[in-house]
Amino acid sequence: MIKFLFAFLALNLLPYTTVYAAEIRGDLSLQGFLFVSNPAWQNQGDQSASVAANVEFFHDFHNNLSLTIEGFYRIDSQDNERSHGDLRMAEFLYYTDNFEITAGLGHVFWGATEFVHLVDIINQTDQVEALDGEQKLGQPMVHLTVPKEWGVMEAFALPWFRERTFPGANGRFRTPIPVNTNQTQYESSSKEHHFDFAFRYSTNLATADVGIYYFNGTARDPVLRLAFDEIFKTPSLFPYYEQIGQTGLDIQLMAGEWLLKGEAYYRTGQSRSYAATTFGFEYTFTAIADTMMDMGLIGEYVYDDRNNGWLPTIYENDIMAGVRLAVNDMADSTVLLGAIRDLDSGSTILAIEASRRLGDSIRLNLDASFFVDMDYEDPAFAMAKDDFIKLEMVYYW
Amino acid sequence: MISFSIHPIYQILLSTCLLFMVPSALHAETVEEKGLAIAVEADNRDDGYGDYTADMTMTLRNRHGKESKRSIRSKTLEVNGDGDKNLSIFDTPRDVKGTAFLSFSHKVGDDEQWLYLPALKRVKRINSRNKSGSFMGSEFAYEDIASQEVEKYTYKHLREEDYNGQLCFVGESYPVDKKNSGYIKRITWLDKAEYRIQRVEYYDRKASLLKTLTISGYQHYVDKYWRADSMEMVNHQTGKSTSLVWSNYAFQTGLTDNDFNSTSLKRIR
């Protein structure tokens, strides 16, 4: 359905852009992965290349009504599951001075911290796109926003659930046994048609932004369950999506020269209720060493009160540190160095993200991650051999 | 991600501060009192503009003459009794298209600033004390482009002199937030006829001349408010410069507080 709609968008809307006086733009990107080590699991490759396109169409009907459509498609040389498309957005927006309402496939972000996005729950993660989980699938919703002097009230009706994407057998960054999304199971008998809903209140105080929400519906993060083929007894993993209630909180706070950030949630519905939190700081040195360069230091911590082995997350009791350099040159060059260390097992992930513009409309991105001292009991151990260097060139039109 | 707020520079020294007006005829005015009185008068002359929008092209130039351009749309709302609200939206370079910077300036205390990142649909708070940082790689620092309330500086009148054929007040101003400002002082040329800023020299924390801003092409809008077409900032220590060219000024367009909140920030195009 999604792929069909995307194809429809690409083929049919393009010729009409001038007629509708609408705005259309997008980007085209080439991406290559080079893996440092031989793969840990069968069928995985040593390198991969892919090409991806984003197309965004916007039309303003005037009278405060508009339509936004964003389509995405990637073709990957290695992993069939990573060759995929999605309608990131297909949304009508109407607003007045008193309220705003959207209907369609939308995209909503909640959160405050830099490393781990714990409380962000409306949109499903497009896991095959990026390890950081920041790429999201379009979520069908009706979203009402009422801004008041004392804060913003929001209500979400979410009639259709999107499954998380997982790498296929040929892809890296996967579990030892690939996740089979054809065997997905749900706790709810209505499966992906379960009606989810959420309410959120957020407000801007003098030095702080605070948000609190309640979500009820299908967990976006599935439990991975093991199944065996009846005849051949071959094992497979399948996602199991449970019904949850989740109360979440996010805060961004300016304290002198410091920026403090925190997120927390309390979740019911999965075997036992539990809580998770992440918080930290960002401190920026401007114009360092008589240059135009800014250097931001980031320190964060994440804790999840689930026991080891039950509903595993790679962020159980981890500390994160980062240095962000903004060169402030014409090319808007930036470099981010980051490290995540599991305090219990000592497993450590080191990451570099560097980016600069070439000319007016091309951006060059270099990412690398190294998995160091991975403990075999750590859920991230499956990626211990996935050290990579990724080079990406994006052309914006 | 770098953030950016464009606030026309002529608003330096502008704000309402009637309480400090001194009946100058009755006693010998000190240079500090005169400097403040000039700042207050300049501020009063821009009072009541309500709101306005404008388009801006920012050109960065290095010492070899290589150029890079950014285009920005700016919306500003006057707030009675406090600093202005400003929203700046980037149209180019295309990789940052739709990025928006929202700023609430305050007469007393820290400004409030947020950045909207369209790719992540995320609103991030920015620490406004990082005011000496470069704005979008330009020679303008955040503190140069933020709405500059009278209360954020102390003043000293120096002299009157001709500058480009206009008789000008020349005065020094010193940031109240000495800890975070990149400057020890600024020297400002303000024309005596209309109280418009013509030139500003910025002195770094070691008291060396760092930058010079030249403002030209003032036009009269709504019969009352002067806005400049061109601002040129030259960094004497690096040889780099940044020019801002303004166009399409429109006053009293009907903007309200609702155009400057987190909800409207997320629907920016």
Side-chain angles (χ1 to χ4, degrees):
Chain A
M1 177 67 174
I2 296 297
K3 287 180 184 178
F4 169 76
L5 281 171
F6 175 74
F8 174 82
L9 164 81
L11 293 174
N12 292 304
L13 288 178
L14 274 163
Y16 297 117
T17 52
T18 48
V19 179
Y20 285 106
E23 182 188 314
I24 187 158
R25 63 192 180 91
D27 62 68
L28 188 69
S29 61
L30 298 172
Q31 196 181 74
F33 273 94
L34 184 67
F35 294 94
V36 178
S37 314
N38 290 327
W41 317 114
Q42 218 177 348
N43 300 322
Q44 291 181 316
D46 284 340
Q47 58 214 11
S48 67
S50 67
V51 54
N54 278 293
V55 178
E56 184 180 334
F57 168 85
F58 173 77
H59 182 65
D60 189 349
F61 298 95
H62 303 295
N63 303 315
N64 297 347
L65 178 67
S66 64
L67 170 66
T68 305
I69 300 174
E70 281 180 45
F72 160 81
Y73 205 93
R74 177 180 301 282
I75 299 168
D76 189 276
S77 67
Q78 186 67 26
D79 184 359
N80 289 337
E81 294 295 323
R82 199 162 185 260
S83 293
H84 72 302
D86 182 42
L87 259 184
R88 298 291 197 225
M89 288 184 84
E91 170 177 279
F92 284 96
L93 163 73
Y94 176 73
Y95 67 93
T96 71
D97 275 348
N98 301 315
F99 72 91
E100 172 188 299
I101 191 161
T102 71
L105 293 164
H107 187 175
V108 171
F109 176 84
W110 296 338
T113 54
E114 300 299 313
F115 278 92
V116 186
H117 304 304
L118 278 186
V119 301
D120 190 31
I121 197 169
I122 295 292
N123 288 76
Q124 179 60 274
T125 302
D126 194 354
Q127 190 71 48
V128 297
E129 268 304 298
L131 266 187
D132 63 14
E134 288 186 348
Q135 297 298 317
K136 297 290 176 178
L137 300 171
Q139 170 64 46
M141 68 173 87
V142 176
H143 173 197
L144 175 69
T145 306
V146 182
K148 294 282 184 192
E149 291 263 306
W150 38 266
V152 181
M153 306 287 289
E154 291 171 272
F156 298 80
L158 309 161
W160 179 28
F161 172 78
R162 302 290 311 276
E163 276 187 61
R164 180 165 295 195
T165 59
F166 287 96
N170 299 327
R172 301 291 284 247
F173 317 116
R174 68 163 169 84
T175 43
I177 305 165
V179 175
N180 186 343
T181 51
N182 296 322
Q183 294 181 12
T184 298
Q185 291 190 19
Y186 295 88
E187 179 183 349
S188 164
S189 56
S190 0
K191 299 184 175 177
E192 68 267 39
H193 301 292
H194 184 270
F195 180 85
D196 301 348
F197 64 88
F199 300 101
R200 178 175 164 90
Y201 168 74
S202 57
T203 188
N204 304 325
L205 307 170
T207 56
D209 300 333
V210 182
I212 186 164
Y213 72 83
Y214 178 72
F215 168 90
N216 188 296
T218 311
R220 270 48 183 162
D221 45 340
V223 181
L224 298 179
R225 290 190 164 177
L226 196 59
F228 292 92
D229 180 275
E230 284 190 10
I231 302 161
F232 302 107
K233 304 295 177 201
T234 49
S236 67
L237 274 180
F238 67 90
Y240 178 64
Y241 292 97
E242 294 171 294
Q243 287 298 309
I244 59 163
Q246 179 166 310
T247 305
L249 174 75
D250 55 84
I251 298 177
Q252 303 182 73
L253 177 74
M254 192 180 142
E257 282 72 38
W258 300 77
L259 210 49
L260 305 180
K261 307 166 186 200
E263 301 183 12
Y265 70 77
Y266 178 76
R267 184 186 286 191
T268 57
Q270 290 172 305
S271 341
R272 77 170 172 88
S273 301
Y274 77 98
T277 184
T278 181
F279 50 84
F281 68 85
E282 183 164 353
Y283 187 96
T284 304
F285 296 92
T286 53
I288 53 169
D290 282 334
T291 66
M292 303 259 286
M293 214 179 302
D294 298 335
M295 182 174 71
L297 302 182
I298 303 160
E300 290 182 359
Y301 171 73
V302 59
Y303 180 75
D304 188 310
D305 89 347
R306 288 174 287 189
N307 296 322
N308 272 344
W310 181 74
L311 295 177
T313 163
I314 74 165
Y315 303 117
E316 302 160 292
N317 179 24
D318 292 31
I319 195 153
M320 288 84 79
V323 178
R324 179 166 27 216
L325 285 176
V327 181
N328 284 323
D329 56 352
M330 285 188 187
D332 284 334
S333 307
T334 58
V335 180
L336 177 66
L337 303 171
I340 303 174
R341 184 175 176 86
D342 187 306
L343 292 175
D344 299 322
S345 71
S347 299
T348 302
I349 304 171
L350 301 175
I352 300 173
E353 294 176 16
S355 176
R356 67 167 303 172
R357 194 183 303 112
L358 290 177
D360 286 335
S361 13
I362 294 175
R363 193 163 257 285
L364 202 60
N365 301 313
L366 175 73
D367 290 10
S369 284
F370 303 95
F371 301 85
V372 185
D373 289 340
M374 300 303 285
D375 186 275
Y376 73 96
E377 284 191 340
D378 196 293
F381 179 72
M383 300 191 295
K385 299 284 186 192
D386 289 339
D387 294 354
F388 71 89
I389 297 164
K390 172 181 141 188
L391 191 63
E392 183 181 54
M393 197 162 79
V394 189
Y395 168 68
Y396 296 87
W397 52 271
Chain B
M1 171 61 72
I2 308 147
S3 62
F4 18 74
S5 141
I6 286 305
H7 226 279
I9 307 299
Y10 50 78
Q11 284 195 353
I12 288 170
L13 309 180
L14 308 188
S15 177
T16 51
C17 188
L18 289 162
L19 287 174
F20 294 98
M21 289 285 285
V22 176
S24 53
L26 296 179
H27 78 118
E29 194 178 37
T30 67
V31 288
E32 286 79 14
E33 285 167 346
K34 181 155 189 194
L36 177 64
I38 292 166
V40 169
E41 174 60 18
D43 184 55
N44 287 343
R45 289 186 180 213
D46 203 53
D47 215 14
Y49 69 82
D51 71 83
Y52 68 91
T53 62
D55 296 336
M56 189 260 276
T57 301
M58 172 188 275
T59 306
L60 314 187
R61 226 171 269 112
N62 70 14
R63 85 184 100 172
H64 309 296
K66 192 184 163 209
E67 290 189 351
S68 176
K69 287 186 194 299
R70 289 106 173 77
S71 49
I72 297 159
R73 281 171 285 148
S74 171
K75 300 178 178 188
T76 305
L77 180 71
E78 186 176 25
V79 178
N80 286 327
D82 202 353
D84 298 336
K85 295 183 179 183
N86 175 264
L87 178 62
S88 299
I89 305 153
F90 275 76
D91 286 332
T92 68
R94 280 180 282 203
D95 58 334
V96 295
K97 159 112 180 131
T99 305
F101 180 71
L102 177 64
S103 168
F104 295 175
S105 58
H106 297 300
K107 289 178 181 300
V108 179
D110 296 314
D111 291 352
E112 297 169 79
Q113 298 173 340
W114 298 268
L115 188 65
Y116 176 66
L117 305 172
L120 304 176
K121 312 282 186 251
R122 179 173 183 182
V123 179
K124 283 179 88 162
R125 188 175 266 262
I126 291 174
N127 194 318
S128 62
R129 293 202 187 174
N130 299 331
K131 58 183 68 170
S132 64
S134 160
F135 166 74
M136 263 306 262
S138 77
E139 298 309 316
F140 289 84
Y142 282 89
E143 60 187 315
D144 305 336
I145 54 176
S147 165
Q148 309 217 356
E149 310 301 324
V150 169
E151 293 85 345
K152 294 197 167 181
Y153 297 87
T154 58
Y155 303 89
K156 187 163 118 188
H157 175 68
L158 295 181
R159 59 184 184 270
E160 292 179 13
E161 71 176 26
D162 263 341
Y163 174 79
N164 278 354
Q166 297 186 88
L167 186 58
C168 286
F169 296 115
V170 184
E172 290 186 344
S173 52
Y174 316 94
V176 170
D177 183 5
K178 291 184 170 58
K179 186 179 169 195
N180 295 297
S181 174
Y183 312 123
I184 197 162
K185 71 170 178 188
R186 309 177 308 183
I187 301 179
T188 302
W189 280 254
L190 199 74
D191 74 79
K192 217 176 157 176
E194 298 288 349
Y195 286 74
R196 298 164 306 191
I197 295 181
Q198 305 293 331
R199 173 188 173 93
V200 185
E201 291 176 354
Y202 299 84
Y203 290 80
D204 66 18
R205 296 172 68 98
K206 296 165 195 150
S208 319
L209 177 61
L210 176 64
K211 302 185 292 194
T212 299
L213 172 68
T214 322
I215 302 182
S216 58
Y218 276 105
Q219 313 257 13
H220 217 187
Y221 294 91
V222 213
D223 287 336
K224 194 168 175 195
Y225 306 108
W226 291 100
R227 291 295 182 269
D229 290 345
S230 174
M231 302 170 184
E232 178 84 17
M233 182 77 90
V234 176
N235 186 318
H236 303 290
Q237 298 181 2
T238 63
K240 295 198 282 184
S241 65
T242 299
S243 74
L244 310 184
V245 175
W246 294 87
S247 59
N248 299 327
Y249 279 112
F251 279 75
Q252 286 145 22
T253 61
L255 294 174
T256 68
D257 281 330
N258 284 332
D259 296 295
F260 297 86
N261 60 29
S262 61
T263 305
S264 57
L265 195 57
K266 288 177 203 161
R267 62 170 183 253
I268 290 296
R269 297 299 309 184

